[in-house]
Amino acid sequence: MNYPVLQTYPLGFPWQTQDPFLFCVYHLDHYPKGNGEMGPDSKLLEGRNIGNDFTLKDGWRMYHGSTIPGFPYHPHRGFETITIVNKGFCDHSDSLGAAGRFGEGDVQWMTAGRGVQHSEMFPLLHDDKENTLELFQIWLNLPKADKFVEPHFKMLWHEDIPVVQEENAIVKVIAGNYKGNQANHPAPDSWAAKKENEVAIWNLHVDAETMFTLPKAGALVSRTLYFYEGSEIHFGDKKVNRSFGIVLDASQDIVFKVGKQPAHFLMLQGKPIAEPVAKYGPFVMNTDEEIQQAMDEYRLTQFGGWPWPYPDHVHEKEKGRFAKYTDGRIVEKS
């Protein structure tokens, strides 16, 4: 058996990924109490580059938000976003009229396809305690044949996501199949929608000082384990510290031992699309000419315009978790 660890590297911002993924960002912000208007109860102008605040100060960032943290409206074309909110909340609004508030374990799967605008804001709903946000956003590529599919917005509510409780671990199955536990269907035009592509997204929590085994996948599948919380893990006599990405040989079972602190991981796996990738900001195509076309079309059409009153639109503070779909259907959660 070959050594299962092919490469390790320190995690930056964003996280480096392998085809079919484009990148992944991990947000951990310990926001303070809210100010009653879903912003931080803090003097924002003190030491922050408002509108472009990516520097961690006092444990949190405003990103592109000016009064509420988050990302006001911006376009996407040619790929998908999978947004996992483990802690806190995200308010979604888009150019198709879809909207939602999701969090506390919910996942949003959005296919940008031919083009969509959306905003992702992080409302601070609690005025009496801190508003911690923990969020992953994964960019999953679309093959050339599907770059111009219709945009699609799908919610995977945490109540419906398979969570496998093992003796020493918990595995949240967001995409793919873990030991017979099949995830919910992804967006219909996703690379993940085809079983043969073996796309898997798992969030793993493993107890301290225990052994864990990742089951093998196909030989042609890329697999990366992102170690984002804990102390260290051991593959035989090789130690890997927290905040490292670990590229693995997916064709064999992967056994590792966790150190003195519980370890938390995100695992991304899938068959590579193996096509040229041209990227510019929020556009991902196959050629530079297609990128230029996307930019020209966005300038002309705004991908349908913006039907909401503000670029950084958020929903009513008292609103619970919900999704409003483009057909007018509304799903509300407690």
Side-chain angles (χ1 to χ4, degrees), residues 18 214-217 221-224 247-248 250 254 267-269:
Q18 298 185 84
L214 273 175
K216 65 183 178 181
V221 170
S222 67
R223 172 182 276 182
T224 306
V247 179
L248 298 170
I254 309 295
M267 196 212 69
L268 301 182
Q269 168 191 295

Side-chain angles (χ1 to χ4, degrees), residues 237-267:
D237 59 359
K238 180 178 175 61
K239 182 176 81 167
V240 180
N241 292 322
R242 175 180 55 83
S243 297
F244 269 75
I246 308 161
V247 179
L248 298 170
D249 178 357
S251 68
Q252 55 181 302
D253 291 340
I254 309 295
V255 181
F256 60 85
K257 183 178 180 180
V258 175
K260 294 183 178 180
Q261 296 179 16
H264 297 196
F265 308 89
L266 182 72
M267 196 212 69

